[in-house]
Amino acid sequence: MNQPNISLEERSTKKVFWRVIPFIFLLYIIAFLDRVNLGYAALDMNEDLALASSTFGLISGIFFLGYFLFEIPSNILLHKVGARKWIARIMLSWGVVVIITAFAQNAGQLYILRFLLGVAEAGFFPGIILYITYWFRGKEQARAFALFMTALAASNIIGAPLSTWIMDHIQWGGLAGWRWMFVLEGIPAILIGVVTYFYLTDRPQEAKWLDKEEKEWLIQEIQRENEQKSKEGQLTTKQVLSNPQVWRLSFIYFTLVVGLYGVGFWLPTIIQSFSSLLSNTQIGLISMVPYIAGGLCMILWARRSDRTGERKVHTAVPPLIGALGLIGSGLTSNPYVSIIMLSIATIGIYSFFGPFWSLPALFLTEASAAVGIALINSIGNLGGFVGPYMIGYLKDSTGSTKSGLYFLSICLLICFALVITIKKQASESSELSSEKGGSYDGAADSGEKPFI
């Protein structure tokens, strides 16, 4: 590749990065905060509405049932009508549901509203993952995914002190602070949903903010990768749904998400158990620590994966670290050691995402990716039902969250085992691997390609 091409590549990639990543990063901060702020509300809400731990766990998890049922149809529609319109619609609808949640009076109403929130938000995350594949080549995707998903950490870093501060300081009109939290954190989704409609560009072909040369280069690069994957066999929707590679990734993601949301929804309650003297705001500030550590390591690990072109080990190691962190937290009664171990667990869980979401794009073209990514995410997010519910159930049964942490660690160990036992298959050439910046497990030779 000559110098002018390198210059064009760098210029085009950088322009796409700054146009796409910061905005979808902001969208995911809002999305994830509106999904997990229930965990902060629980500090006061559970007592106000007389919710048992198992009831709260079920309320937390039922979101993912609605999400699961409508995930694939939503992502197919996004692929057809365009990200700009569909993501704007998703944000507007979930913002409305979050605001209505502020007025729930009992567990039954919360069950319904959390289910509807899952329906409203279905398709957002896999839609954004799919959207990234429209704009970034395979060798850049792990970093793009990780930078986007750093919003998981940023959402909690921002949301933990913000949510708990609102709960402690805003009781306007006699309405409890946790209710105002839902109102004030639901409004941004509606406002940014309107902005999304005018800001997002569906495809590189429509990017007026790229000059002609940049646009042509990007279109050709993305098209070349899709053509290469098509040569190896275009998968129909039916084939994607029955593809064992897709289902393996789905179960891998399921076991990881059990840990992600088990920790995410229950972390404030775990910290609250350290001392009865902690205020909601103090709990929020302490909650920031694991997410700051997780966010920083998430970016560094994904950059290493992209730099080496290695995916398998970079996907397998994080859940192992996460499991060790959760086991360590369960074994100690010292609050300082517990926070350190929970930070290690969060580092492991978050570092998984960048390398993992690079995997589907290795063997799915755009059309099949819309279905494949949605299936992986929808099956995986059922773990978001299992994790919070099991911690609540085990806490009611044993009087402690420790057994719940051990359960989450077992799921992460299974995740590690499912990834590390992936095997390679022979192929006619390693061209696809080399074009994407490396092989799936970093050891492909000529004539060999990754398992997926």
Side-chain angles (χ1 to χ4, degrees), residues 220-339:
Q220 289 172 2
E221 287 291 297
I222 300 297
Q223 184 177 353
R224 180 170 60 85
E225 287 195 350
N226 280 321
E227 287 174 352
Q228 179 62 48
K229 286 180 283 188
S230 295
K231 288 178 183 178
E232 299 183 2
Q234 175 78 23
L235 298 179
T236 64
T237 297
K238 183 178 179 180
Q239 288 172 326
V240 171
L241 294 176
S242 61
N243 189 300
Q245 300 167 8
V246 173
W247 280 97
R248 185 180 186 115
L249 293 180
S250 299
F251 287 121
I252 288 170
Y253 196 53
F254 171 88
T255 54
L256 191 285
V257 170
V258 170
L260 172 69
Y261 287 109
V263 173
F265 280 111
W266 283 97
L267 181 62
T269 302
I270 293 171
I271 294 173
Q272 188 182 46
S273 69
F274 292 165
S275 172
S276 60
L277 300 178
L278 291 173
S279 68
N280 289 333
T281 303
Q282 289 170 327
I283 291 170
L285 292 172
I286 296 170
S287 296
M288 294 170 60
V289 175
Y291 297 116
I292 291 172
L296 291 174
C297 292
M298 182 182 193
I299 295 173
L300 294 174
W301 192 247
R303 292 175 96 174
R304 187 178 189 279
S305 178
D306 272 348
R307 187 175 66 251
T308 62
E310 198 285 316
R311 302 305 190 200
K312 176 179 174 179
V313 174
H314 279 82
T315 304
V317 169
L320 177 61
I321 294 173
L324 296 176
L326 290 174
I327 292 170
S329 180
L331 290 175
T332 183
S333 56
N334 184 303
Y336 298 102
V337 176
S338 183
I339 283 295

Side-chain angles (χ1 to χ4, degrees), residues 155-167:
S155 179
N156 282 292
I157 293 167
I158 297 168
L162 175 64
S163 299
T164 50
W165 185 89
I166 291 172
M167 290 169 60

Side-chain angles (χ1 to χ4, degrees), residues 62-333:
I62 203 168
F63 165 93
F64 297 98
L65 296 184
Y67 200 86
F68 168 76
L69 293 173
F70 290 88
E71 183 96 323
I72 292 178
S74 181
N75 221 35
I76 292 173
L77 284 169
L78 181 144
H79 185 66
K80 289 183 177 180
V81 308
R84 181 174 64 90
K85 294 178 181 177
W86 197 246
I87 291 176
R89 191 284 305 163
I90 287 173
M91 299 196 70
L92 289 169
S93 57
W94 100 53
V96 170
V97 175
V98 170
I99 292 173
I100 295 173
T101 303
F103 304 97
Q105 299 298 317
N106 52 55
Q109 292 175 7
L110 284 172
Y111 287 138
I112 294 170
L113 287 167
R114 290 292 295 183
F115 179 83
L116 290 177
L117 182 63
V119 172
E121 198 180 315
F124 173 79
F125 177 81
I128 293 293
I129 294 296
L130 181 64
Y131 186 70
I132 288 173
T133 68
Y134 295 164
W135 292 93
F136 293 91
R137 297 171 297 173
K139 68 180 183 179
E140 298 145 358
Q141 286 176 6
R143 181 167 174 261
F145 292 144
L147 287 170
F148 159 62
M149 294 194 68
T150 307
L152 289 173
S155 179
N156 282 292
I157 293 167
I158 297 168
L162 175 64
S163 299
T164 50
W165 185 89
I166 291 172
M167 290 169 60
D168 279 346
H169 295 90
I170 297 181
Q171 289 90 30
W172 299 329
L175 205 63
W178 65 267
R179 296 184 185 275
W180 275 113
M181 183 199 69
F182 285 123
V183 172
L184 296 177
E185 292 179 358
I187 291 172
I190 296 174
L191 296 179
I192 205 71
V194 175
V195 174
T196 298
Y197 181 83
F198 295 99
Y199 182 86
L200 276 191
T201 306
D202 285 332
R203 300 280 187 155
Q205 292 87 336
E206 303 162 16
K208 296 179 181 179
W209 40 271
L210 290 174
D211 65 35
K212 183 179 179 181
E213 187 181 28
E214 293 165 345
K215 187 185 298 186
E216 289 178 352
W217 175 85
L218 181 60
I219 292 170
Q220 289 172 2
E221 287 291 297
I222 300 297
Q223 184 177 353
R224 180 170 60 85
E225 287 195 350
N226 280 321
E227 287 174 352
Q228 179 62 48
K229 286 180 283 188
S230 295
K231 288 178 183 178
E232 299 183 2
Q234 175 78 23
L235 298 179
T236 64
T237 297
K238 183 178 179 180
Q239 288 172 326
V240 171
L241 294 176
S242 61
N243 189 300
Q245 300 167 8
V246 173
W247 280 97
R248 185 180 186 115
L249 293 180
S250 299
F251 287 121
I252 288 170
Y253 196 53
F254 171 88
T255 54
L256 191 285
V257 170
V258 170
L260 172 69
Y261 287 109
V263 173
F265 280 111
W266 283 97
L267 181 62
T269 302
I270 293 171
I271 294 173
Q272 188 182 46
S273 69
F274 292 165
S275 172
S276 60
L277 300 178
L278 291 173
S279 68
N280 289 333
T281 303
Q282 289 170 327
I283 291 170
L285 292 172
I286 296 170
S287 296
M288 294 170 60
V289 175
Y291 297 116
I292 291 172
L296 291 174
C297 292
M298 182 182 193
I299 295 173
L300 294 174
W301 192 247
R303 292 175 96 174
R304 187 178 189 279
S305 178
D306 272 348
R307 187 175 66 251
T308 62
E310 198 285 316
R311 302 305 190 200
K312 176 179 174 179
V313 174
H314 279 82
T315 304
V317 169
L320 177 61
I321 294 173
L324 296 176
L326 290 174
I327 292 170
S329 180
L331 290 175
T332 183
S333 56

Side-chain angles (χ1 to χ4, degrees), residues 15 37 152 288 421:
K15 192 175 287 189
N37 57 10
L152 289 173
M288 294 170 60
T421 54

